Structures are given as structure tokens and as C-alpha cells.
Amino acid sequence: MAIQGNVRDLDIPLLLSTATFRRGVIEVECPPLGTVMIYFQHGKIITVARNGEFLNNLLEVLDTILSVIKCRNGTFMMESLDDTDVNVPETVSIDANQLLLWISSLIDEINNRSLTISDDTPLKLVPGKAKDVKDDLIAAFLLLTMEYLVKGTTLRELRKSLPIRDDTLEYFISRLMKSGIIAVSEEKSHPSEEGRPAERKGITPLKVFLSTDDPRIRDMVIEVLTDMGYAPEVIDEGLPVPDADLYVGDLNGKGFLWAGSLFGPFASRTVLIGSEDLKPARFVYLRKPIDPEKLREAIRRVIGQNM
């Protein structure tokens, strides 16, 4: 059994509460979100996927469903998975009613947020305050932002780097500033993507995880990075190392889910290269054949967000 229609008529709380089947999926096509898949089972949300990427951060899951609720242009389909052999990875396990209460509360709080800092105000984490966090949503937000806040960042850089809505980001920054977990830093902020690394003094070391069997792509990546003022340290064996500054993957026909599952939490630092059309999620995608200028621009965008 399947229910389908326009997202203007989509009522996720009603659909979940009135579903007569034990296992099911709601698929939403909504620009600019792309495709969102919400799998549920026995009253729990067990998986949320956005453009093929499985989400496992609580806040990212809530924010994606909030975006679906607010979407007014697109289509949806709800389908029973009872008596099927569809095997869905259980990346989260959240009571549907609890999740919807969280979203309702989050919408109210976002609407009453107050953030008066400029986009270029330097922000930094206060570790002593952060270690005492017990709120699940605050903890989820810190997981998404920790690598940026520890070294110092700005609201502008976070907007470009994080896979959540601007109003959600502003609400949590406001809340964490009020609680003292985030402080305005006196240090200079890191260069934004507008500044070219080659314009910095000296040569900047850069750790690159490079996955490709094509020597031309390997050589081009190294040449472009060197020309941009970096001294690339290339790692190309094993799984992606968590402390790499840049990930470059040549899909070699392995497909979107390969990219999403392999690079996962590092997607916002990733340049993917392939021969098929992909919908960019949090990575930058280049279709073959590529040229040095396209690669330079893609790397500049990724490094500008994360260095």
C-alpha cells in the first residue's frame, strides 16, 4: 500500500500516527533538499537519509525533518515495507512521538532566538563549559561543530560548512553563547574561502587522503595544491584518516552510496570526481573530464570552509 501526493498536503505527525503498517518509508522530493527518506518501524524512526547519505547525528536528523515539514514545493510517497525483504540500516532509534515533540519545541525556540553578532565575529569553544553538557540536542550540535569551534571559527564559516539550516545554527550559537560554552574570541579568525592559500606567507602543509587509480588525477591534485601554495602530504592507503585536511575521491563507477558511506562525517571536506551525475550533499562534485581550474575552484571551496 502506498500513499502519495504533494508536500503541501504532507503531515508527517499524522502519517506516522495513522500508519497501519509496522514498517514503512516516507520518501520526499523537495528542492533544494533533494531526496529525503524517512524509515520507521514499530513507532520509531530508524533511518533518515538525505540524497543517499545516512544521517546519524540527532540534530541533523531533526533539522532535516524540520526542513521537510517546512517544504512547500515537491512530492512525497509513503509506502509499507511489511512483508518485504528490504533491509534498512538502523542508524538511529528515536521514538517518533518524542522526535516530533523535539521538532515542535525546536521550531518555537528558533522563532524566539536572538543573535546579535555579525557573521565575521570570531567564535571559540570554552572546553571547561562544554564537558558538562547533558542536553542531547546541545551535545549533537557540538559533535557537528567541534572541529571548527576548537580551532576558532565564525558564523559565516559555519553557515558554509554545516549541513543544517541557518536559523537552526543561529539558535544554537545564541544558546551556547548565553550559557558560556561559546565565547567571542580575541584571536583573528581563520581565512575564509575568499582568501587564496597562496596569498598566505610561506607554504602551508596539507594532509590529503587521495583515493584514485588514475595517475592523471593524482598528479593533477598534487600540482594544483602545490600551485595554490600548499605542501601536500598524500595518504592513499586504507580508510580515510580522521585528521586529513582534504579528501579527494575518484568514484570509478562505485556510485553515490560508496562516497557517502566511505567519507561520511568528512563529506564537507571532500571533492568527489566521477563519470555520472550526482546530487552534491555536503561534498563538492566534479564530473569527468576535469581540468585544473575546475579542480582548483573545488579545492578552494572545500579548504576555505575547513582551514
Side-chain angles (χ1 to χ4, degrees):
M1 182 182 75
I3 303 170
Q4 54 188 343
N6 193 292
V7 292
R8 288 193 298 270
D9 307 316
L10 177 60
D11 188 330
I12 288 182
L14 180 62
L15 286 178
L16 291 176
S17 62
T18 58
T20 58
F21 31 86
R22 298 183 302 276
R23 299 171 66 234
V25 58
I26 299 174
E27 178 178 350
V28 178
E29 289 279 352
C30 180
L33 286 174
T35 302
V36 175
M37 310 284 286
I38 304 170
Y39 295 88
F40 57 94
Q41 179 173 287
H42 301 300
K44 289 187 175 182
I45 305 292
I46 60 169
T47 301
V48 176
R50 182 169 173 175
N51 293 323
E53 180 180 1
F54 294 114
L55 309 181
N56 53 27
N57 181 281
L58 174 61
L59 179 59
E60 197 172 351
V61 167
L62 263 63
D63 188 73
T64 296
I65 296 179
L66 190 159
S67 296
V68 169
I69 291 173
K70 288 181 172 289
C71 181
R72 288 297 176 264
N73 178 29
T75 59
F76 79 91
M77 180 179 69
M78 183 181 188
E79 185 175 7
S80 171
L81 297 178
D82 291 346
D83 303 320
T84 70
D85 58 359
V86 175
N87 184 20
V88 180
E90 188 171 325
T91 57
V92 295
S93 181
I94 310 171
D95 180 84
N97 291 325
Q98 177 62 59
L99 180 139
L100 295 169
L101 284 174
W102 266 333
I103 290 176
S104 176
S105 175
L106 187 58
I107 290 173
D108 289 340
E109 292 174 2
I110 285 174
N111 290 337
N112 292 294
R113 72 189 184 283
S114 59
L115 186 64
T116 58
I117 63 171
S118 72
D119 274 12
D120 295 312
T121 301
L123 303 172
K124 201 160 189 179
L125 187 74
V126 180
K129 295 276 189 178
K131 68 179 182 180
D132 297 325
V133 168
K134 295 182 174 61
D135 183 281
D136 289 338
L137 292 185
I138 292 293
F141 178 78
L142 287 175
L143 281 175
L144 283 178
T145 58
M146 186 68 72
E147 64 175 300
Y148 308 105
L149 291 171
V150 165
K151 65 183 181 183
T153 186
T154 65
L155 194 58
R156 186 185 306 280
E157 290 173 343
L158 290 176
R159 289 189 204 280
K160 295 174 182 176
S161 306
L162 299 183
I164 59 176
R165 299 161 55 92
D166 282 352
D167 53 4
T168 302
L169 170 62
E170 291 173 11
Y171 163 69
F172 279 97
I173 292 294
S174 173
R175 185 171 169 184
L176 291 177
M177 288 183 69
K178 288 179 181 177
S179 62
I181 296 174
I182 292 178
V184 175
S185 171
E186 295 181 359
E187 299 176 7
K188 293 183 179 178
S189 61
H190 292 270
S192 70
E193 67 171 330
E194 301 299 323
R196 284 208 169 189
E199 294 170 357
R200 304 175 200 168
K201 293 182 179 180
I203 298 176
T204 305
L206 191 80
K207 185 179 288 188
V208 184
F209 180 85
L210 179 57
S211 175
T212 181
D213 296 324
D214 189 335
R216 294 168 300 178
I217 291 179
R218 179 187 177 89
D219 291 345
M220 188 183 296
V221 170
I222 294 173
E223 288 173 7
V224 168
L225 284 171
T226 302
D227 183 60
M228 292 172 73
Y230 290 106
E233 174 192 347
V234 176
I235 302 168
D236 54 10
E237 295 181 0
L239 293 174
V241 291
D243 60 339
D245 302 303
L246 173 67
Y247 300 83
V248 179
D250 180 6
L251 293 184
N252 288 329
K254 295 177 182 176
F256 178 85
L257 289 179
W258 177 88
S261 61
L262 179 58
F263 291 99
F266 315 121
S268 62
R269 287 186 268 169
T270 298
V271 175
L272 294 181
I273 300 164
S275 57
E276 55 191 280
D277 287 322
L278 299 183
K279 295 179 180 178
R282 287 148 49 194
F283 53 82
V284 175
Y285 175 69
L286 296 176
R287 183 167 181 169
K288 295 178 180 177
I290 60 172
D291 60 56
E293 282 309 308
K294 289 181 180 178
L295 181 60
R296 173 192 288 273
E297 175 60 22
I299 291 175
R300 187 178 70 82
R301 286 173 57 193
V302 170
I303 292 179
Q305 296 177 162
N306 297 284
M307 290 295 286

